[in-house]
């Protein structure tokens, strides 16, 4: 069963593109990554899901309900961490959290709020405007989790968090997920998504360009090949199939991605005078970058 | 209406309401304290007033110099301006910012991601703005009443006082509705305080011009200030249904259109 179902969703701001024709399903119980560079349309998609903005065309459902018509009901079951942690500055952390939690019927002196405040080492008596960016982010995380939502929508949730707090946050997310919470994790940093998510949707220029299993992204056998020769050679000299994006295609050093038969590559190199050869599995970041080229 | 948001907003606006109430009340009380002096030097003042051009007198709200020698006439000529103009500025500034401040303060995303509908947010903030306008009017009216009781000489008929106070409240509520309308048609998330104060002043200026020139034709009625009957000493002075209908109708229309737009608009970022 899918918790989020997005069907041919588009949003234009006057004439400029927000997102175009996005279709995406997020299965219940998953931690689903939503990856793309800044300006790709991640926040636009999320804002439509929360009915903060209205779609130009297409539709989206959460928990089987329409995000426009049933937005209030949907939001009562969601926790949301926005990319910018903007809050009512004059409130204390305690006042702000209690104010937000009251909308979900969570009363004062809630033990979970206490637990989360201690976990993130946050003083509830401090004024919001006194908090650093990272501490504001912690408040934002707590307000999203305190009412035990069925779906967490996270938009760049780690910006401003130090590594220690980030690891606590990720551990908490895994715990929530084990307890049945579905997590929709939007980020432009693949490395943080790959530690949590099994599946990612990749968005570029407002369009979904791929929905991939993290493991299968690695298993595509995309290798990064570096050949150093004592004479000038070109990539065409190798005469093999499966050459992917090329970083250096001629000269004494060839550098390219290769997804073809590794034996064919080795075979072709036997006819070349080479000084050095390295074949390695590229970091996921590099594989990911090629989606944007 | 949402109770949680309402009480949060009430606390948020309490200081401003208190400050405006104190300032206007102090002005009303201070002005009324001169009534005794005016009565004491009635003849000299009447002589001096003869020298003031009739146009300037009309602009100030005097149709007859003897008006200021009755406590109600003095109150109307000197104090109604505070509540009509300053109260309307309070109303339009409060109402125009009450929705928009969530957007330029960047808290709209937080608030609207709670389980609360746009309609609830609108109605809660509308109720709160109108309640603040009502409380301000109530405080200043009570202070005005006490000031009249303290400084009056001779008899005082409360009926015209209540009528002008109600008209002033309706005028302030209309400016509140106008503030909501301005806030929902804004395309950018930024404060509109200067624009709203300017608009209130322009409309008041329009009203003053129409009074000064004695033109009672259509152009004066472009300003809602003109819809208030300030002739408190007229023997037939009472509620006029067409005026109440005009205030209620235009305010109702502005609120309905604003609510419709607010429920359908994207948040400004």
């Amino acid at each position: 069963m899918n918790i989020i179902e997005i069907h041919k969703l588009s949003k234009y701001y006057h004439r400029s593109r927000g997102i175009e024709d996005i279709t995406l399903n997020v299965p219940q119980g998953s931690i689903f990554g939503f990856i793309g560079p800044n300006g790709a349309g991640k926040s636009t998609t999320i804002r439509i899901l929360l009915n903060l903005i209205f779609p130009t065309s297409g539709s989206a459902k959460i928990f089987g309900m329409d995000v426009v018509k049933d937005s209030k009901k949907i939001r009562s079951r969601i926790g949301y961490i926005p990319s910018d942690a903007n809050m009512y500055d004059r409130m204390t952390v305690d006042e702000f959290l209690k104010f937000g939690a009251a909308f979900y019927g969570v009363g004062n002196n809630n033990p979970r709020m206490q637990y989360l405040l201690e976990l993130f080492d946050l003083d509830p008596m401090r004024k919001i405007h006194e908090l650093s960016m990272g501490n504001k982010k912690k408040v934002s995380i707590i307000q999203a989790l305190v009412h035990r939502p069925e779906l967490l929508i996270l938009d760049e949730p780690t910006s401003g968090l130090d590594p220690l707090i980030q690891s606590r946050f990720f551990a908490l997310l895994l715990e929530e997920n084990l307890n049945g919470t579905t997590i929709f994790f939007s980020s432009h940093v693949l490395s943080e998504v790959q530690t949590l998510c099994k599946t990612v949707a990749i968005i570029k220029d407002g369009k979904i360009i791929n929905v991939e299993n993290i493991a299968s992204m690695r298993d595509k056998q995309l290798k990064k090949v570096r050949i150093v020769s004592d004479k000038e050679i070109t990539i065409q000299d190798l005469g093999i199939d499966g050459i992917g994006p090329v970083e250096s295609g001629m000269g004494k050093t060839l550098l390219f991605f290769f997804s073809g038969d590794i034996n064919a590559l080795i075979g072709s190199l036997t006819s070349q005078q080479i000084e050095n050869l390295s074949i390695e599995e590229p970091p996921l970041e590099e594989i990911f970058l090629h989606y944007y080229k | 209406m949402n109770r949680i948001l309402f009480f949060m907003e009430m606390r948020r606006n309490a200081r401003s309401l208190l400050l405006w109430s104190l300032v206007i009340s102090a002005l009303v009380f201070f002005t009324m304290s001169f009534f005794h002096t005016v009565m004491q030097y009635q003849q000299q003042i009447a002589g001096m007033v003869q020298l003031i051009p009739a146009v300037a007198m009309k602009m100030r709200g005097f149709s007859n110099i003897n008006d200021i020698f009755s406590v109600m006439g003095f109150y109307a000529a000197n104090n109604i301006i505070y509540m009509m103009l300053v109260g309307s500025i309070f109303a339009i500034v409060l109402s125009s910012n009450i929705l928009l401040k969530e957007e330029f303060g960047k808290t709209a995303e937080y608030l609207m991601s709670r389980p609360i509908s746009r309609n609830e947010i609108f109605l809660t903030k509308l109720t709160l703005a109108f309640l603040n306008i009502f409380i301000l009017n109530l405080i200043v009216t009570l202070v005005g009443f006490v000031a009249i009781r303290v400084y009056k000489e001779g008899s005082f008929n409360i009926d015209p006082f209540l009528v002008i106070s109600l008209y002033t409240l309706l005028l302030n509520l209309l400016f509140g509705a106008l503030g909501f309308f301005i806030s929902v048609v804004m395309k950018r998330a930024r404060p509109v305080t200067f624009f709203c104060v300017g608009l209130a002043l322009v409309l008041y200026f329009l009203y003053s011009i129409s009074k000064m020139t004695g033109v009672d034709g259509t152009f004066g009625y472009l300003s809602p200030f003109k819809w208030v009957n300030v002739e408190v000493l007229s023997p037939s002075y009472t509620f006029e249904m067409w005026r109440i209908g005009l205030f209620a109708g235009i305010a109702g229309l502005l609120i309905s259109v604003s609510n419709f737009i607010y429920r359908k608009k994207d948040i400004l970022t």
Side-chain angles (χ1 to χ4, degrees):
Chain A
M1 184 193 160
N2 293 317
I3 288 280
I4 301 175
E5 297 161 288
I6 302 174
H7 183 65
K8 292 180 177 290
L9 196 65
S10 295
K11 174 69 181 177
Y12 293 91
Y13 299 100
H14 300 291
R15 283 182 187 166
S16 66
R17 180 271 308 157
I19 53 170
E20 262 175 348
D21 210 24
I22 283 187
T23 296
L24 188 66
N25 291 319
V26 176
Q28 184 174 20
S30 63
I31 305 182
F32 194 95
F34 193 43
I35 296 287
N38 295 328
K42 301 187 299 293
S43 292
T44 297
T45 309
I46 286 173
R47 285 178 174 162
I48 292 174
L49 293 178
L50 292 160
N51 194 223
L52 302 175
I53 57 174
F54 290 81
T56 308
S57 62
S59 64
K61 287 181 176 179
I62 298 181
F63 308 121
M65 295 182 280
D66 185 85
V67 294
V68 176
K69 288 181 197 147
D70 301 306
S71 61
K72 185 182 166 184
K73 276 187 205 161
I74 291 169
R75 288 196 299 258
S76 69
R77 297 161 67 184
I78 287 182
Y80 170 50
I81 302 177
S83 54
D84 298 318
N86 293 305
M87 300 159 195
Y88 299 105
D89 281 353
R90 288 187 187 172
M91 289 185 178
T92 63
V93 171
D94 185 61
E95 285 167 345
F96 178 76
L97 289 175
K98 283 175 180 167
F99 167 69
F103 284 94
Y104 304 91
V106 175
N108 293 349
N109 304 318
N110 182 270
R112 183 166 165 84
M113 197 182 291
Q114 288 306 318
Y115 163 72
L116 291 169
L117 281 166
E118 282 166 26
L119 182 71
F120 288 107
D121 196 18
L122 206 55
D123 177 3
M125 290 305 129
R126 288 188 68 186
K127 291 265 188 192
I128 298 283
H129 68 83
E130 295 170 355
L131 300 180
S132 66
M133 181 68 192
N135 279 336
K136 279 188 181 172
K137 203 74 188 191
K138 290 179 191 175
V139 178
S140 193
I141 291 169
I142 296 174
Q143 63 79 25
L145 286 161
V146 76
H147 55 284
R148 295 187 184 276
E150 294 166 58
L151 169 65
L152 266 173
I153 295 180
L154 318 176
D155 191 1
E156 310 277 0
T158 56
S159 57
L161 292 183
D162 64 53
L164 176 68
I165 295 297
Q166 190 170 317
S167 69
R168 276 187 206 169
F169 173 52
F170 281 2
L172 182 65
L173 288 180
L174 289 170
E175 192 182 309
E176 293 299 308
N177 182 245
L178 282 175
N179 290 329
T181 305
T182 306
I183 299 171
F184 186 69
F185 194 118
S186 162
S187 177
H188 66 274
V189 185
L190 185 66
S191 57
E192 65 180 28
V193 172
Q194 74 184 83
T195 61
L196 284 175
C197 308
K198 287 200 177 78
T199 313
V200 289
I202 297 163
I203 183 169
K204 180 192 173 190
D205 298 334
K207 292 178 177 163
I208 299 286
I209 54 171
N210 216 342
V211 178
E212 285 260 22
N213 189 297
I214 290 274
S216 77
M217 272 174 97
R218 289 187 185 284
D219 291 348
K220 277 194 165 167
Q221 302 291 327
L222 198 64
K223 306 290 181 198
K224 192 172 186 181
V225 180
R226 188 166 186 269
I227 299 165
V228 180
S229 173
D230 58 355
K231 60 171 187 166
E232 300 272 327
I233 53 170
T234 68
I235 203 141
Q236 286 78 18
D237 294 340
L238 300 177
I240 50 167
D241 294 329
I243 291 174
V246 177
E247 286 182 15
S248 169
M250 59 193 298
K252 289 187 175 177
T253 302
L254 300 181
L255 192 60
F256 56 93
F257 289 87
F258 180 68
S259 58
D261 181 1
I262 203 87
N263 294 308
L265 173 67
I266 301 293
S268 91
L269 289 177
T270 54
S271 60
Q272 304 288 336
Q273 280 292 322
I274 62 169
E275 283 191 346
N276 204 352
L277 167 69
S278 73
I279 302 173
E280 57 186 30
E281 189 173 297
L284 208 48
E285 294 284 351
E286 286 197 34
I287 300 174
F288 172 66
L289 273 175
H290 292 294
Y291 284 105
Y292 296 135
K293 286 188 176 170
Chain B
M1 199 185 78
N2 185 283
R3 192 175 49 82
I4 305 158
L5 180 62
F6 180 81
F7 285 113
M8 188 275 269
E9 280 289 354
M10 201 67 198
R11 277 197 299 276
R12 219 174 165 192
N13 288 288
R15 191 183 297 177
S16 156
L17 174 64
L18 186 70
L19 199 68
W20 279 81
S21 302
L22 281 175
V23 169
I24 301 177
S25 297
L27 281 171
V28 167
F29 218 91
F30 179 71
T31 310
M32 286 308 288
S33 69
F34 286 100
F35 181 63
H36 182 68
T37 315
V38 167
M39 292 302 281
Q40 215 175 350
Y41 299 98
Q42 197 169 340
Q43 282 187 337
Q44 290 92 323
I45 290 171
M48 282 194 304
V49 168
Q50 300 297 327
L51 304 172
I52 302 172
V55 168
M57 290 289 287
K58 277 186 179 171
M59 194 168 169
R60 192 75 183 86
F62 298 95
S63 54
N64 182 342
I65 182 55
N66 291 321
D67 287 359
I68 61 162
F69 300 126
S70 78
V71 72
M72 194 57 225
F74 186 84
Y75 177 82
N78 291 292
N79 285 332
I80 292 305
I81 186 176
Y82 297 137
M83 277 316 290
M84 274 176 56
L85 179 59
V86 184
S88 295
I89 289 174
F90 168 79
I92 197 169
V93 169
L94 169 72
S95 303
S96 61
N97 281 318
I98 203 161
L99 287 171
L100 210 53
K101 71 183 171 188
E102 301 286 354
E103 284 165 313
F104 65 73
K106 306 277 182 199
T107 49
E109 192 165 9
Y110 172 79
L111 179 63
M112 289 186 184
S113 61
R114 308 295 97 191
I116 181 170
S117 68
R118 298 276 182 100
N119 197 37
E120 282 176 294
I121 294 175
F122 186 91
L123 292 179
T124 304
K125 298 224 175 200
L126 179 74
T127 307
L128 186 111
F130 275 24
L131 182 66
N132 272 248
I133 295 167
F134 177 77
I135 292 172
L136 179 81
N137 274 264
L138 185 68
I139 292 173
V140 178
T141 301
L142 284 173
V143 168
F145 178 73
V146 170
I148 287 172
R149 298 283 297 181
V150 168
Y151 295 110
K152 81 180 168 71
E153 292 183 11
S155 63
F156 159 61
N157 181 7
I158 195 171
D159 291 346
F161 175 78
L162 292 177
V163 173
I164 190 72
S165 299
L166 180 77
Y167 277 140
T168 310
L169 172 65
L170 289 173
L171 175 75
N172 289 177
L173 292 176
L174 178 77
F175 270 91
L178 188 59
F180 272 88
F181 179 74
I182 290 167
S183 75
V184 297
V185 295
M186 290 304 292
K187 299 287 180 205
R188 292 177 64 185
R190 60 180 178 191
V192 285
T193 308
F194 287 116
F195 174 76
C196 287
V197 171
L199 181 65
L201 289 174
V202 165
L203 290 173
Y204 187 76
F205 183 69
L206 194 67
Y207 160 71
S208 299
I209 295 282
S210 86
K211 263 203 323 186
M212 192 168 69
T213 54
V215 177
D216 280 340
T218 46
F219 104 92
Y221 282 94
L222 287 175
S223 168
F225 290 101
K226 183 79 177 172
W227 307 351
V228 176
N229 183 359
V230 291
E231 302 292 330
V232 288
L233 296 182
S234 162
S236 59
Y237 189 71
T238 185
F239 294 120
E240 289 168 275
M241 286 317 291
W242 71 269
R243 291 182 192 270
I244 294 173
L246 190 60
F247 277 120
I250 300 295
L253 184 69
L254 284 169
I255 289 165
S256 304
V257 173
S258 305
N259 179 270
F260 180 80
I261 296 171
Y262 186 69
R263 283 190 287 128
K264 305 282 177 196
K265 77 192 276 262
D266 291 349
I267 62 164
L268 303 173
T269 51

